[in-house]
Amino acid sequence: MLERITLPVTPFAQNCSLIWCSQSGKAALVDPGGETERLLAAVAERGLELESILLTHGHLDHVGATGELKEKTGVPIIGPGRDDAFWIEALAQQAQMFGFPPVNDFVPDRWLAQGDSVTVGEETLEVYHCPGHTPGHVVLLHRSQRLVFVGDVLFHGSIGRTDFPRGNHQQLIDSILHTLLPLGDDVTFVSGHGPEGTLGEERLHNPFLR
C-alpha cells in the first residue's frame, strides 16, 4: 500500500507529499519546495528510507529544497519532463524573482515522459505528461489506490497559471480534459497548493472547465 502525508512548505504553502510503501518502508518526496530539515525530520520520524525525489515541474516553489536534499541524502532526482530544463537551469533567477533565499542547483538524474513509470518501494506510479502550466509538467498516478499527484495542473475549483514563460492556457485545458479527467471521476487528486478533491467534482463544478 502507498501511504502519504501532505507537508505544506514555505510562504507559498506548497504541498510537498511524503509518500511511502508500507511493506518496504521506502519513501519519496514529491515536489519538495523548501524546508529541507523539516522534510527530513518527517522521514526520520516514521522510520522510513528515502529513496528518491519526484518532481512534477520545475518551478521554484516545487523544487526549492531539491538540491540540498540531494546533497544531504544522495538519492536520485526523478522528473520532471525534459522541457522544464530551462526552469531548473534558471533557479537563481527564480529565487530572485520570487524573493526566495538562494537555493542549491541540481540536475535531474532522470527525466520523465508520457508512459513512464516510477517505483516507491514495491508501489508503482504511472507518469502522464500534462503540459500547459509548464511545458514539461507531469502528473503521477497510483492506479490501484485511485490517487494522482497533479502539481499545479489542477486545483480545487481552479486551474494552474499559464502566464509564466512557455505557459499555454489551451494546452493546459487540453491536458486536464483529455489526460487528467479520463483517469476517472473517483480519482483523488493532490494539488501543489490548497485542498485535495476528486476529478469527478472538478469535472462537474470547476468553472474553468465549462
Side-chain angles (χ1 to χ4, degrees), residues 144-158:
S144 64
Q145 288 178 222
R146 316 302 290 153
L147 176 69
V148 63
F149 299 91
V150 301
D152 284 356
V153 172
L154 181 69
F155 302 112
H156 184 58
S158 189

Side-chain angles (χ1 to χ4, degrees), residues 165-180:
R166 295 185 62 189
N168 184 301
H169 178 78
Q170 188 57 53
Q171 196 175 46
L172 179 69
I173 295 297
D174 288 345
S175 289
I176 295 169
L177 294 181
H178 303 306
T179 301
L180 207 52

Side-chain angles (χ1 to χ4, degrees), residues 6 23 40 45 49 59 67 98 110 112 120 141 152 176-177 204:
T6 301
Q23 289 179 295
L40 290 174
E45 284 165 12
E49 179 188 348
H59 283 165
F98 291 117
R110 176 186 168 197
L112 292 174
V120 180
L141 172 71
D152 284 356
I176 295 169
L177 294 181
L204 291 173

